[in-house]
Amino acid sequence: MILKKVYGFIPQLPSSDCSLLPHNHYWIASKHVVTPNGTISGAVEIKQGRIISIVAEENWHVNSWFTTVVNYGEAVIMPGFIDVHAHLDDPGRTEWEGFPSGTKAAAAGGVTTLIDMPLNSAPSTVSEEALKLKVQAAEGRVYVDVGFWGGLVPENAENVTSLERLLDAGVLGLKSFMVPSGINDFPMTTSAHIKEALPTLARYRRPLLVHAEVLLDHDGKLEPEDGADNARSYSTYLKTRPASMEEAAINQLITLTKETRAGGSAEGAHLHIVHLSDARTSLNLIKEAKQRGDSITVETCPHYLAFAAEDIPDGDTRFKCAPPIRDAANKEKLWDALLEGDIDMLSSDHSPAVPEMKLLDEGDFLKAWGGISSLQFVLPATWTYGRKYGITFEQLASWWSEKPAKLAGLTTKGAIAIGNQADIVVWEPDVEFDLDNGYPVHIKHPSISAYMGSRLAGKVLATFVRGNLVYKEGNHASLACALPILHR
C-alpha cells in the first residue's frame, strides 16, 4: 500500500531542509477543518505549497490513496493566523527581538504571516532606502512570511514623490502616530498630515493604520510630575492616557474618513484604527462612521480582552502599553463589540524591548518602556479568555485570518480555500498548559511578557507556511525559508 497514514508523528528531515514534512504533495485531515463555508470533518490536499482540494471525511480516504496523509484526529485545522501589528525591531534593535526569534515565536503560536511595523527598528521604515534594509534583514532569516508597513511621518506626508517611492518599493500600507511615538526618527503626524497623504493612498488603494491618541494638555506632556502620584501604581499611569485621548483622535480622523466614501476626494483610501482600548465613546464614533459609509476598520488586542486595570499588581510594568489596559467594565464592552462585529479584527501589537527598559525591579510605570510582548501566545490567549463568551472556530478565523488578509491585501492567504497558499495551523483547543519557566518560549525576552505565569488552553501542534511544516510540537524547521512579502 502506498498510502502512508501518519498519526502523532511526522518524520524529521535532514538539517538542510526548510520543512519538517518531506513531501510536496500530501493531505492533512481532522474532525475539525475550518473553511469559509464552516467547519467540516475532512481533509485538505496540499501540493507544492498550495491548497488544491478540500474533501469531506467520507471522500478523503479514497481521494488520498496514493499520497501521504497526516491525520490529526480531533485537533482543529485552521487558516494560519495573520498578525497585522507586530514590532520585530530588525534591523538595528535586534537585542529587543529580531526576525529569527520573533518569527520562531510566531510559528510556535500558529501565526503564519505577520506584518512588521515601521518603527522600533533602526532606521524606521519611512523611505524606500529604509525598506530595502528591512527586506535584506529578513531574507533567509524568517520562519513565517513577513510583510511590511511603511511609516507616514511629516517629512514624507508633505512630499508626494517620497511617499510614492515608498509605496512603489512594496510596503503594504502606511502607519502613523498622532502622539509622540518615543522613537526619534518616527515623529508624530497631525490630522493635516494624514489629510495630505490620503489622496496618494487612494490612488494606490492601500490602507493607513493610525495610532489614535492625541495630547490633551498644552505642554505636550504625557506623564505627571515625578512624585505627584505613586509611580508603582498602575492607576497612576492610567491617568496619563485617559480614554478621552483616543476619543479626541478618532473625532479628528472621522472628519477625514468622509472623503473615503464613493465619490469622495479620497475614494479608495482606507483608515484602520490600531489597538483600540476605549470601548465607549471612541468605539461609538467608529460605528457611526461605518454606518455613514466611511472606509474605516478597527482592531483590538488580546491583552485588552484578557486583563483589567484593577487586577494589575503594583510595580508589574510588564502590563504597561499605550493605549493602556482599562477597567473590567470596559473589557466587557470590548468583548461585546468584537462579538457583534463592531470591532473587525485582532492583532498582537507585539512590542518587546530589553528587560532593563521595563524597569522590572523598580516597577516605575511612568518611566518604564511600554509594550506587551505576546506574539507566541495570541491564539491560546484569545481562545482561553474567549471561551466563556462562546467564541467559535469560525470567529477566530475571521478575526485572525480572513479580515487581516483583506486589510493587508493578501489575496491568497487568510482562508483554507482551493488555490490559496497552504498557510495552516493545527491546534488542540482542550489542552491546557502553564506558561512558566519550563514552557518553551521563543520570543527573545520571555521575562517581560505579561502572559508568563498564566494557564492557557489551546496548544499548537503544527504550523504550515506555504506548505512547509515550519513548526511541530516544540521543533522548528532547521532553515528559515519563509519569504518577505512586498506589494507588487
Side-chain angles (χ1 to χ4, degrees):
M1 182 180 290
I2 299 176
L3 172 66
K4 301 175 184 177
K5 292 189 177 181
V6 184
Y7 185 83
F9 170 75
I10 296 173
Q12 297 282 343
L13 280 187
S15 61
S16 61
D17 211 296
C18 304
S19 178
L20 296 170
L21 184 63
H23 305 283
N24 63 16
H25 186 195
Y26 58 92
W27 293 76
I28 57 174
S30 87
K31 296 291 186 182
H32 308 282
V33 179
V34 182
T35 77
N37 297 317
T39 299
I40 65 168
S41 177
V44 181
E45 184 179 10
I46 298 167
K47 186 174 183 179
Q48 295 179 343
R50 296 273 178 172
I51 296 169
I52 64 170
S53 69
I54 303 163
V55 297
E57 182 177 16
E58 58 268 22
N59 297 321
W60 71 264
H61 295 283
V62 176
N63 292 4
S64 62
W65 189 255
F66 294 102
T67 53
T68 295
V69 177
V70 185
N71 190 335
Y72 286 103
E74 297 289 334
V76 176
I77 293 176
M78 284 181 58
F81 278 27
I82 297 173
D83 188 356
V84 295
H85 193 143
H87 299 265
L88 295 187
D89 314 322
D90 202 342
R93 290 192 175 93
T94 54
E95 70 276 14
W96 291 20
E97 187 65 84
F99 284 126
S101 61
T103 57
K104 277 189 172 183
V111 176
T112 54
T113 303
L114 57 82
I115 317 300
D116 189 41
M117 280 292 165
L119 70 162
N120 295 6
S121 55
S124 293
T125 314
V126 298
S127 67
E128 176 188 14
E129 294 73 22
L131 177 63
K132 289 179 180 177
L133 293 174
K134 177 80 75 171
V135 173
Q136 289 169 6
E139 288 174 342
R141 300 174 67 235
V142 292
Y143 289 82
V144 302
D145 286 352
V146 178
F148 311 97
W149 300 121
L152 179 69
V153 293
E155 182 178 357
N156 60 25
E158 297 166 351
N159 184 331
V160 172
T161 300
S162 176
L163 205 56
E164 288 176 338
R165 287 180 61 196
L166 179 57
L167 292 163
D168 286 336
V171 294
L172 302 181
L174 302 178
K175 163 74 180 297
S176 72
F177 269 71
M178 297 180 76
V179 287
S181 71
I183 300 296
N184 290 336
D185 68 346
F186 204 97
M188 62 175 278
T189 53
T190 65
S191 58
H193 294 126
I194 293 171
K195 183 178 181 179
E196 193 80 19
L198 280 181
T200 302
L201 284 162
R203 285 190 286 107
Y204 282 79
R205 295 194 174 271
R206 291 184 221 171
L208 173 64
L209 287 70
V210 184
H211 181 125
E213 291 181 288
V214 294
L215 298 170
L216 298 174
D217 58 1
H218 297 293
D219 60 8
K221 292 181 181 178
L222 285 172
E223 317 289 9
E225 294 295 327
D226 289 350
D229 289 289
N230 176 13
R232 287 181 54 83
S233 171
Y234 184 78
S235 63
T236 299
Y237 171 62
L238 190 57
K239 293 175 187 175
T240 70
R241 316 266 323 204
S244 52
M245 289 179 62
E246 290 186 84
E247 177 188 346
I250 291 167
N251 248 324
Q252 291 183 25
L253 288 172
I254 62 175
T255 66
L256 306 178
T257 56
K258 64 182 180 181
E259 299 303 328
T260 64
R261 301 175 202 164
S265 62
E267 180 184 354
H270 179 80
L271 265 74
H272 179 74
I273 308 299
V274 299
H275 52 44
L276 183 78
S277 76
D278 173 32
R280 296 179 173 90
T281 304
S282 299
L283 183 62
N284 288 333
L285 290 169
I286 295 168
K287 288 168 59 176
E288 292 167 2
K290 287 181 177 181
Q291 290 165 1
R292 291 192 296 267
D294 297 6
S295 186
I296 184 170
T297 49
V298 59
E299 71 187 45
T300 193
C301 306
H303 46 271
Y304 299 124
L305 301 168
F307 308 125
E310 301 94 318
D311 301 326
I312 296 175
D314 285 354
D316 198 343
T317 54
R318 298 177 304 162
F319 290 89
K320 180 179 179 179
C321 59
I325 295 163
R326 305 198 187 278
D327 60 39
N330 184 82
K331 180 180 74 171
E332 293 302 311
K333 288 182 180 295
L334 283 175
W335 271 112
D336 289 343
L338 182 63
L339 294 166
E340 291 168 7
D342 296 321
I343 292 174
D344 299 278
M345 67 193 76
L346 297 174
S347 73
S348 72
D349 190 15
H350 176 66
S351 188
V354 291
E356 304 86 75
M357 296 180 70
K358 297 295 283 187
L359 304 181
L360 299 174
D361 293 332
E362 298 173 40
D364 189 325
F365 277 105
L366 302 182
K367 295 179 180 177
W369 185 263
I372 302 292
S373 189
S374 60
L375 185 54
Q376 186 174 336
F377 314 129
V378 290
L379 189 161
T382 307
W383 179 248
T384 299
Y385 292 99
R387 285 186 300 179
K388 79 171 188 175
Y389 302 95
I391 67 171
T392 65
F393 301 145
E394 291 84 1
Q395 286 172 314
L396 278 179
S398 175
W399 300 332
W400 276 109
S401 304
E402 178 189 349
K403 289 180 180 175
K406 183 178 180 181
L407 176 72
L410 305 175
T411 57
T412 59
K413 295 179 180 285
I416 293 179
I418 294 172
N420 273 8
Q421 293 168 359
D423 294 349
I424 291 170
V425 56
V426 184
W427 61 290
E428 296 178 308
D430 297 326
V431 174
E432 297 187 350
F433 54 94
D434 294 311
L435 281 180
D436 54 27
N437 292 333
Y439 188 84
V441 177
H442 300 281
I443 56 176
K444 184 160 284 186
H445 302 292
S447 66
I448 68 171
S449 175
Y451 288 99
M452 295 304 291
S454 301
R455 184 170 181 81
L456 299 177
K459 181 183 178 183
V460 173
L461 295 179
T463 303
F464 297 81
V465 177
R466 299 176 185 253
N468 288 321
L469 180 60
V470 299
Y471 173 82
K472 172 189 168 290
E473 297 184 74
N475 296 309
H476 289 83
S478 53
L479 285 184
C481 295
L483 297 172
I485 302 169
L486 295 174
H487 194 289
R488 294 294 186 228

